[in-house]
Amino acid sequence: MPAFPNTRLRRSRQAPWARRLTQENDLRPHNLILPLFVCEGAKVREPISTLPDCFRLSMDEAVKEALLAQSLGIQAVALFPCVENDKKDDQGSEALNQNNLMCRTLGMMRDRGVTIGLIADVALDPYTTHGHDGILVGAKVDNDLTVEKLVEQALVLVAAGADVVAPSDMQDGRIGAIRQALEQAGHVETLILAYSAKYASSLYGPFRDAVGSSQATPIDKSTYQMQPTQIKEALLEAQLDVEEGADWVMVKPGMLYLDVIAHIAQHVSVPTFAYQVSGEYAMLHALSQQTNQPFIPLLHESLVGIRRAGARGVLTYGAIKIAQHMID
Ligand code: PBG
């Protein structure tokens, strides 16, 4: 590069047109995925106290929200159920009920004109009394027993209309087992979005409140979710998932793991997604409140950061807000 004054980098920053022309990365509605929490009932919009501006929605309201997302150019919603306590047990049996809340919601979405992608989470935690993602044997989640259940859960969700199944449980071998079962059942177009590098993070608290899986003492998932110290291992997880049949991979959380997103996005050929998790969203919100600064630019900057790291798309609780205020 020639030295100053031949190079003055401020020339490209002088006006909006010049800044836009030279923009290296962008954030568009099609880079956003909207997570939705669904509960029983009708016309319910129940605020989630630890996740600001987010609601547990009854199916009819969730459909409205998905249609709003669709009208804004968002291309997919990710559904999570808030299961009634009397339907939970230690095996998460309700996850396999073909008429459970998730299945009914998927059906209603399709019936009422939602044409964007429907992503269904595969994991047992919304359905278990202990809040773990799988079947406990002693104090630990048993990998192989859990994978058997997850395969069944995935098939139930796909039969109900899910376009994408997203295993978020971090068991070994689950992607391969689910892919094989989908192929055998003739579901050759079903996408698998693997939560490949999912960390045992302290940032999931508001989500656990939202789905009602929080326990009196915080749950420790570190025998299956990754240690925050790891990055090589994250790539290995993603590579294995791709070999086993994942179409897309994901890193979670997002904002605190930008290096992991970049590493995986550079080394894996399938699209890499990131999840701006509940605690990250709540942190941004708290900052905006405490410093009395507008939330949208803060949220926008955080999502641009995730895009710049290399994520193709981002799951964010702010998807609708940001799409409504899309800045070029
Ligand atoms: C569990 C699951 C979690 C999240 C998505 N799926 C929580 C956990 O692993 O305990 C967290 C998402 C968020 O915090 O926004 N299968």
Side-chain angles (χ1 to χ4, degrees):
M1 254 333 244
F4 176 85
N6 290 348
T7 297
R8 283 183 187 265
L9 293 176
R10 283 187 54 180
R11 285 188 203 114
S12 297
R13 299 178 197 145
Q14 62 181 284
W17 65 266
R19 291 197 292 272
R20 286 196 190 115
L21 272 178
T22 55
Q23 194 173 297
E24 296 176 47
N25 290 284
D26 65 353
L27 180 70
R28 307 302 311 158
H30 62 254
N31 302 122
L32 305 169
I33 295 173
L34 173 69
L36 288 175
F37 298 110
V38 187
C39 65
E40 293 290 354
K43 295 196 164 70
V44 180
R45 284 184 80 85
E46 187 187 355
I48 301 161
S49 60
T50 52
L51 192 54
D53 299 342
C54 294
F55 301 85
R56 290 184 202 91
L57 303 172
S58 50
M59 296 194 295
D60 52 332
E61 292 290 323
V63 167
K64 277 194 215 160
E65 203 78 351
L67 289 171
L68 174 60
Q70 181 168 307
S71 73
L72 291 167
I74 292 169
Q75 299 300 325
V77 291
L79 303 175
F80 298 96
C82 178
V83 177
E84 291 170 314
N85 277 333
D86 61 3
K87 296 209 171 113
K88 296 186 186 186
D89 60 26
D90 63 346
Q91 305 282 305
S93 316
E94 178 65 9
L96 310 184
N97 173 359
Q98 294 172 6
N99 198 32
N100 69 19
L101 180 58
M102 277 290 284
C103 295
R104 282 178 281 127
T105 306
L106 288 162
M108 192 186 274
M109 292 264 171
R110 281 293 177 249
D111 289 350
R112 300 201 181 170
V114 178
T115 54
I116 56 175
L118 300 178
I119 304 176
D121 209 64
V122 175
L124 300 182
D125 54 305
Y127 305 94
T128 54
T129 38
H130 44 70
H132 276 288
D133 292 28
I135 308 291
L136 288 181
V137 173
K140 277 191 185 166
V141 170
D142 184 275
N143 190 88
D144 299 10
L145 279 179
T146 299
V147 170
E148 275 177 40
K149 296 281 182 195
L150 297 177
V151 167
E152 284 182 62
Q153 183 186 19
L155 289 171
V156 165
L157 291 165
V158 173
D163 301 298
V164 183
V165 284
S168 67
D169 57 286
M170 287 301 280
Q171 308 307 308
D172 288 319
R174 90 280 206 213
I175 301 296
I178 292 172
R179 174 57 76 207
Q180 192 187 351
L182 289 173
E183 286 289 323
Q184 271 169 8
H187 298 304
V188 297
E189 289 202 341
T190 301
L191 290 145
I192 301 180
L193 167 58
Y195 284 73
S196 297
K198 176 169 175 183
Y199 289 86
S201 171
S202 303
L203 292 161
Y204 304 149
F207 174 96
R208 291 178 189 168
D209 290 345
V211 300
S213 71
S214 296
Q215 308 287 308
T217 43
I219 322 171
D220 180 7
K221 299 192 176 181
S222 47
T223 66
Y224 46 106
Q225 299 179 349
M226 288 176 54
Q227 300 188 68
T229 49
Q230 308 304 79
I231 182 162
K232 282 188 182 183
E233 189 182 332
L235 180 57
L236 205 48
E237 284 280 7
Q239 286 167 333
L240 284 172
D241 285 349
V242 172
E243 274 171 39
E244 288 180 31
D247 300 282
W248 306 331
V249 296
M250 179 146 70
V251 176
K252 173 181 172 189
M255 284 158 60
L256 267 55
Y257 294 83
L258 296 177
D259 54 334
V260 179
I261 298 170
H263 192 53
I264 291 183
Q266 278 161 22
H267 289 94
V268 168
S269 301
V270 305
T272 302
F273 289 81
Y275 200 142
Q276 181 180 58
V277 298
S278 57
E280 295 177 317
Y281 185 79
M283 265 190 324
L284 293 173
H285 211 274
L287 177 65
S288 137
Q289 298 265 298
Q290 282 180 13
T291 57
N292 202 20
Q293 62 176 316
F295 182 54
I296 298 294
L298 195 56
L299 181 62
H300 190 269
E301 184 177 342
S302 72
L303 295 169
V304 165
I306 293 174
R307 287 273 296 140
R308 194 181 58 241
R312 187 67 232 135
V314 190
L315 280 90
T316 172
Y317 298 99
I320 286 194
K321 269 205 176 83
I322 209 80
Q324 282 169 332
H325 293 83
M326 219 70 201
I327 313 164
D328 282 335

